[in-house]
Amino acid sequence: METIIVIGNGMVGYKFCEKLIAKPDAKKYRILVFGEEIRPAYDRVHLSEYFESGDATSLELSPRSWYEENGIELITNERVISIERERRQIVTENIGNYQYDYLVLATGSSPFVPPIDGVDKKGVFVYRTIEDLDGMLAYASSIKTKGSTPKAAVLGGGLLGLEAGKAVMDMGLEAHIVEFAPKLMPRQLDHRSSNVLRQKLEGMGIKIHLDKATRKIQGNGSITGMDFSDDSALEVDMLVISAGIRPRDELARESGLLLGERGGVLVDNKMRTSDSNILAIGEVALLNGMIYGLVAPGYDMAGVAVDQILGTSDSIMEPQIDMSTKLKLIGVDVASFGEPFMPASKGHSIVFENKTKGLYKRINISHDGKTLLGGILVGDASDYNMLHQIYMNGIALPENVEELILGARGEEKSAMGVLQLPDAAQVCSCENVTKGAICDRLNEGQCKDLKDIIGQTKATTGCGGCKPMVIDLVNESLKAMGQSVKEVICEHFDHSRQDLYHMIKIKKLHTFDEVIQTCGQGNGCEICKPLVASVFASLYNDTANEEYVIQDTNDRFLANIQRNGTYSVVPRIPGGEITPDKLIVIGEVGKKYNLYTKITGGQRIDLFGATLNDLPAIWKELIDAGFESGHAYGKSLRTVKSCVGSTWCRYGMDESVSFAIELEDRYKGLRSPHKIKGGVSGCIRECAEARGKDFGLIAVEGGWNLYIAGNGGATPKHAQLLAEQIDNETVIKYLDRFLMYYIRTAAPLMRTSVWLEKLEGGIEHLKEVVINDSLSIVDELEQEMQALVLAYQCEWKQAIEDESFKKRFKHFVNSEEKDENLVFVPMREQSMPKQWVE
């Protein structure tokens, strides 16, 4: 029996073993695996989840029993100190010598620690292993006993650095990111997308320091700060270094294997080193002149190495390795694929940017408009998987190529669905799973659902970036086979939003921990946490101040974050009606706090440019004058727009202003799956644009015509007529029923227009439910709405009256100082944020 020794039990070393034992000839070999760490291989991609769970075993790729069951000898906590190539043996630190026929180097990489003066001080860490994280947690606990919230810096603004930034936040420290380059993620993002990412991170309270070369670590024994080459400094209590990786090639170097000029074991496209009996895979291998720091190429290398040793296949590594990435960094979607930076000589770019929402989408296409060459997505990467497939498979672009990032307009359908991909399309790059492999298993009955697909193909178990596409592919395939499909929220809840809504209601659950312990599993994510918060609000009218840590950013701070890291203040002005005294107060507040002031199309006065620490003071002055939160930041009722109606207009059929105020006062603060707006027009001239709203009223002879499920935005929809010539009391009754039915049954972030389109039976079914009580639920719906109306609280008032809530409205946790990075410039006698430099 020949012996295969694997040095390194990381993700790639484990994948080699997994791929090897799946082969029929594997039983002919004795397999030994050596790992320096004390535990079996674990998932480093999701290392930051350790801070939430504290459970190292939950990250294990497989338990020790898996190795035993598959005949693999796993030796952990043992370091290999030399390779004796002429004898084909390795020498370990404590046990001794082991002979091999084939040796696989999967030693991975180590963090690059720059040669900075003082880098060896106490409180300086690298971010690589669970032991590193344990050390960081222990040190964070010790420095937090000093009273004020300590500061922690992360050296490096790349992928690993931002993950480390999340770790620092999870430890309850004030987070700072220090990056040498003039932008974040310099290898993946252009300047504009990097600025959008910076805005999003700063809105979460992370301080970003760019163009900073660290010269010295301050402190006497323990770190107290960082000195930079521009003579500036930053006081910090802890430092996490995440400035890149270096291949662990010391064993190969000492044994005389050929290396690259800057390190890494030289390999060919079959992963063979300069010694025919030794192969190298993962981050230690120098392939095509590069070290690949992603999971997917490492897994491909593992498969090629297995085939090379067994001699059963002639698989090779491709000369061009796909370096596309999709990650959720600190809760923010970030993705890049193909060629993210497009020189004019190769093609041109189509860019969509919405700074108020923190969105940036860029696709790069060939000069003839036929080929997708690459792109960047920040803030919303839901289009990534399809864009990546179009790029990878050379799929022809639609005529209106901008729809790939903007979505279809009017009544047109999307350019492409997941079932239209070729069977050879690689849906999961980490596990090399194709669309055909998934569809065939479903069509042939080998798999019945997503769980079966994951179990048989391992799709989604690597980086996880392909999960949305795999879910879509499974669901669409099952639907095409005539089977019903259950929509689930995320991996932590095997339920739809509608199911979870009713479970929380019936079980009377009031905290996220209660919900996940009773109805879910794990620790939750950026998808399910805000969803559960929304359900709490829809059921109990809980404000966003309750469990604010599970809210989206805007809800957490009760204000919309703007592109320069400041916030907007939008007080409620029901029906657009406001007294001169209240107008004067708004003017005084705007002047006092130097806010940019604008009258909106929703009959509100917006005040832009408020700093985080000024928000409570601004709110107090407005509340004292009789204002309250306008909920311009939430998935809730925004406005009920009105014309002047019969009070002033000679065409007015009814008193639209009074009714608009009554409706806005009734539904203010109402949380729902998506934001909702209303309109009340006093006649058919429609000055309030009621038919472009989620609910709208138009005065006619005999009462009001009630329209529902319209919207403006990127995909405008006309509202549909629900009832004609009804009085005020009936309008409220029907609206209560309609809104509560929508809240009960809609999917997360689904607008009323989309909800109605997907509702079986459409508007006719809705009429039966709302007007004719076909489901016998209208009494419940009305009672639930009335309970929410009675439970209303102004979130601004709540925040300024509770000291525990006020703590989060500071730029710096342990200081009252303002953020000096906020720069404004004059514009038409007001102030606006200084434009970013490209």
Side-chain angles (χ1 to χ4, degrees):
M1 179 178 285
E2 291 186 308
T3 299
I4 300 173
I5 291 180
V6 182
I7 304 178
N9 189 36
M11 295 180 73
V12 174
Y14 168 82
K15 185 56 61 175
F16 173 86
C17 295
E18 188 181 75
K19 289 179 178 288
L20 177 59
I21 63 170
K23 303 287 187 179
D25 292 341
K27 295 179 181 178
K28 299 178 181 178
Y29 296 88
R30 179 191 180 196
I31 308 168
L32 288 89
V33 180
F34 290 86
E36 287 185 355
E37 295 185 58
I38 61 174
R39 55 181 53 84
Y42 56 89
D43 184 355
R44 295 188 197 274
V45 174
H46 299 99
L47 192 60
S48 62
E49 293 178 8
Y50 180 67
F51 289 102
E52 295 184 12
S53 66
D55 181 12
T57 58
S58 66
L59 292 174
E60 287 182 1
L61 299 175
S62 285
R64 284 186 181 274
S65 57
W66 177 86
Y67 295 85
E68 296 170 3
E69 291 165 2
N70 290 284
I72 301 171
E73 299 174 48
L74 174 63
I75 303 171
T76 56
N77 199 27
E78 179 70 358
R79 189 168 68 91
V80 176
I81 58 175
S82 67
I83 301 170
E84 297 178 355
R85 289 168 51 200
E86 64 283 354
R87 298 181 181 179
R88 288 192 193 172
Q89 71 176 14
I90 63 168
V91 181
T92 70
E93 189 170 38
N94 298 307
I95 303 177
N97 304 339
Y98 289 85
Q99 299 292 134
Y100 65 82
D101 294 284
Y102 295 99
L103 180 64
V104 179
L105 296 177
T107 48
S109 64
S110 59
F112 169 62
V113 180
I116 302 170
D117 184 15
V119 77
D120 57 344
K121 294 186 188 301
K122 189 177 180 181
V124 179
F125 297 87
V126 294
Y127 183 77
R128 186 65 175 172
T129 68
I130 288 177
E131 283 66 39
D132 293 333
L133 270 58
D134 284 335
M136 291 163 60
L137 283 167
Y139 194 76
S141 296
S142 68
I143 59 178
K144 281 195 286 189
T145 60
K146 298 177 182 178
S148 60
T149 302
K151 299 178 182 178
V154 175
L155 187 62
L159 292 171
L160 292 175
L162 295 181
E163 278 296 317
K166 181 182 188 303
V168 166
M169 288 185 67
D170 289 340
M171 286 187 287
L173 307 181
E174 183 180 304
H176 295 254
I177 302 288
V178 178
E179 169 57 42
F180 176 77
K183 60 179 180 176
L184 294 171
M185 294 181 64
R187 293 187 177 182
Q188 290 85 13
L189 302 182
D190 59 15
H191 278 282
R192 290 174 69 177
S193 56
S194 178
N195 283 333
V196 171
L197 177 60
R198 176 178 181 174
Q199 169 196 335
K200 299 278 281 188
L201 299 182
E202 288 178 334
M204 298 176 186
I206 299 175
K207 312 303 175 187
I208 307 296
H209 310 267
L210 302 177
D211 269 324
K212 294 293 184 182
T214 306
R215 182 172 58 193
K216 183 179 180 180
I217 306 298
Q218 301 173 350
N220 182 16
S222 299
I223 181 173
T224 58
M226 304 168 69
D227 286 339
F228 303 120
S229 58
D230 60 3
D231 294 327
S232 63
L234 175 66
E235 291 184 7
V236 292
D237 304 284
M238 190 168 94
L239 174 64
V240 181
I241 296 178
S242 187
I245 58 173
R246 292 290 182 268
R248 288 282 307 274
D249 57 11
E250 58 271 20
L251 282 174
R253 186 183 304 276
E254 291 168 5
S255 68
L257 291 175
L258 290 180
L259 306 180
E261 289 184 12
R262 302 178 64 181
V265 182
L266 278 172
V267 294
D268 60 15
N269 60 5
K270 293 185 177 181
M271 308 316 299
R272 298 176 299 192
T273 69
S274 54
D275 185 321
S276 59
N277 295 100
I278 301 177
L279 299 92
I281 56 177
E283 292 172 343
V284 72
L286 185 70
L287 174 67
N288 302 329
M290 284 187 64
I291 298 291
Y292 297 95
L294 298 177
V295 170
Y299 282 5
D300 288 342
M301 293 178 189
V304 170
V306 166
D307 291 339
Q308 177 63 23
I309 291 173
L310 298 183
T312 56
S313 172
D314 198 29
S315 63
I316 61 173
M317 292 296 293
E318 298 294 330
Q320 296 294 325
I321 306 297
D322 180 32
M323 296 295 286
S324 303
T325 56
K326 174 181 178 285
L327 300 166
K328 187 176 282 291
L329 297 167
I330 321 181
V332 181
D333 278 347
V334 179
S336 68
F337 63 95
E339 186 156 3
F341 315 116
M342 176 54 56
S345 59
K346 284 191 176 182
H348 54 267
S349 302
I350 297 174
V351 176
F352 168 75
E353 185 173 10
N354 185 332
K355 293 177 180 177
T356 60
K357 292 186 176 180
L359 299 178
Y360 179 88
K361 298 183 180 184
R362 168 180 174 170
I363 51 174
N364 304 320
I365 60 177
S366 58
H367 285 122
D368 60 10
K370 295 181 179 180
T371 306
L372 182 62
L373 303 177
I376 298 171
L377 304 169
V378 174
D380 175 15
S382 57
D383 300 318
Y384 167 79
N385 284 309
M386 185 57 71
L387 290 171
H388 186 226
Q389 290 299 329
I390 293 172
Y391 159 72
M392 290 292 292
N393 294 284
I395 297 171
L397 296 177
E399 181 179 355
N400 299 318
V401 67
E402 69 277 5
E403 291 182 359
L404 292 175
I405 53 176
L406 295 178
R409 292 162 292 177
E411 299 302 320
E412 299 174 25
K413 300 297 181 183
S414 298
M416 175 172 221
V418 67
L419 289 180
Q420 294 173 271
L421 292 174
D423 284 347
Q426 189 184 62
V427 175
C428 175
S429 56
C430 292
E431 296 292 339
N432 193 20
V433 181
T434 65
K435 175 211 167 187
I438 292 174
C439 292
D440 288 347
R441 281 176 167 81
L442 292 169
N443 291 329
E444 295 168 5
Q446 300 175 40
C447 295
K448 296 180 180 179
D449 53 24
L450 177 66
K451 186 177 180 180
D452 287 349
I453 288 293
I454 294 174
Q456 290 192 26
T457 68
K458 299 289 184 180
T460 78
T461 60
C463 70
C466 66
K467 194 161 192 174
M469 175 161 276
V470 173
I471 292 172
D472 286 347
L473 183 56
V474 171
N475 289 347
E476 292 304 315
S477 297
L478 292 174
K479 288 177 184 177
M481 294 163 61
Q483 298 184 25
S484 60
V485 176
K486 181 181 179 182
E487 303 286 350
V488 299
I489 295 167
C490 67
E491 61 197 83
H492 303 107
F493 289 98
D494 189 26
H495 311 288
S496 67
R497 178 192 175 278
Q498 184 178 0
D499 291 339
L500 188 62
Y501 177 96
H502 289 293
M503 293 170 74
I504 293 173
K505 178 183 177 182
I506 292 168
K507 296 177 183 293
K508 295 182 172 59
L509 307 176
H510 285 267
T511 69
F512 182 79
D513 286 344
E514 289 176 350
V515 173
I516 202 160
Q517 289 169 12
T518 307
C519 312
Q521 59 186 358
N523 299 286
C525 63
E526 291 84 357
I527 296 173
C528 60
K529 287 179 179 178
L531 184 147
V532 171
S534 173
V535 170
F536 287 154
S538 296
L539 283 172
Y540 314 125
N541 218 341
D542 280 355
T543 69
N545 291 315
E546 309 296 332
E547 287 202 282
Y548 70 88
V549 294
I550 66 172
Q551 305 283 348
D552 283 324
T553 302
N554 288 342
D555 292 280
R556 189 175 304 168
F557 297 115
L558 311 182
N560 269 332
I561 185 171
Q562 305 304 316
R563 68 177 176 87
N564 67 333
T566 60
Y567 294 82
S568 62
V569 177
V570 187
R572 186 177 303 284
I573 305 176
E577 183 180 270
I578 187 168
T579 65
D581 285 340
K582 285 189 174 182
L583 273 174
I584 290 170
V585 170
I586 287 181
E588 289 174 342
V589 168
K591 188 173 182 180
K592 179 177 179 180
Y593 293 95
N594 194 28
L595 305 177
Y596 174 89
T597 309
K598 184 182 185 301
I599 297 174
T600 73
Q603 296 180 329
R604 296 280 176 85
I605 297 175
D606 286 6
L607 304 167
F608 293 95
T611 57
L612 184 66
N613 55 305
D614 278 342
L615 286 175
I618 294 172
W619 296 338
K620 186 177 188 310
E621 293 194 32
L622 292 171
I623 288 169
D624 288 345
F627 291 103
E628 59 188 6
S629 169
H631 290 91
Y633 46 83
K635 300 296 183 285
S636 57
L637 177 76
R638 295 295 178 85
T639 65
V640 180
K641 188 175 182 179
S642 72
C643 63
V644 296
S646 59
T647 305
W648 296 98
C649 179
R650 68 180 188 272
Y651 300 109
M653 301 286 294
D654 210 324
E655 219 292 85
S656 57
V657 178
S658 296
F659 201 22
I661 292 172
E662 181 181 355
L663 293 175
E664 184 159 342
D665 281 338
R666 180 169 185 79
Y667 301 124
K668 63 186 179 184
L670 180 67
R671 301 281 173 154
S672 52
H674 201 283
K675 66 181 179 184
I676 50 177
K677 297 180 181 180
V680 182
S681 288
C683 72
I684 60 173
R685 286 169 177 80
E686 255 284 68
C687 293
E689 302 156 348
R691 292 196 63 193
K693 302 291 192 292
D694 296 277
F695 63 87
L697 301 169
I698 300 176
V700 296
E701 288 286 349
W704 300 95
N705 283 357
L706 173 57
Y707 296 85
I708 53 94
N711 60 254
T715 310
K717 295 286 183 181
H718 265 110
Q720 299 187 45
L721 183 65
L722 182 68
E724 296 182 87
Q725 297 176 310
I726 55 177
D727 59 19
N728 290 29
E729 183 181 353
T730 306
V731 166
I732 291 174
K733 181 167 61 176
Y734 288 174
L735 275 179
D736 283 358
R737 297 171 181 180
F738 155 64
L739 290 171
M740 284 309 305
Y741 190 49
Y742 161 65
I743 288 171
R744 276 189 176 192
T745 59
L749 302 179
M750 180 179 282
R751 303 196 78 144
T752 56
S753 59
V754 179
W755 169 76
L756 185 58
E757 287 175 355
K758 293 181 178 293
L759 190 66
E760 189 172 348
I763 187 67
E764 295 306 320
H765 168 75
L766 188 62
K767 287 178 180 179
E768 288 297 314
V769 173
V770 169
I771 299 173
N772 299 325
D773 195 17
S774 61
L775 299 180
S776 301
I777 61 171
V778 297
D779 288 342
E780 286 182 39
L781 298 177
E782 291 175 18
Q783 290 168 10
E784 289 174 5
M785 179 61 76
Q786 187 62 27
L788 293 177
V789 171
L790 295 175
Y792 170 76
Q793 297 181 72
C794 174
E795 292 172 326
W796 288 357
K797 189 171 188 294
Q798 191 180 52
I800 65 174
E801 291 178 347
D802 191 318
E803 290 299 321
S804 64
F805 291 157
K806 288 172 66 175
K807 290 179 181 178
R808 69 182 185 270
F809 297 102
K810 292 183 178 181
H811 282 293
F812 305 101
V813 175
N814 57 350
S815 171
E816 297 297 330
E817 294 181 9
K818 294 188 176 183
D819 189 350
E820 296 179 355
N821 295 314
L822 300 176
V823 181
F824 296 86
V825 295
M827 182 181 72
R828 293 187 294 276
E829 300 182 11
Q830 297 202 71
S831 295
M832 66 167 284
K834 184 179 180 181
Q835 293 288 345
W836 287 316
V837 178
E838 292 295 333

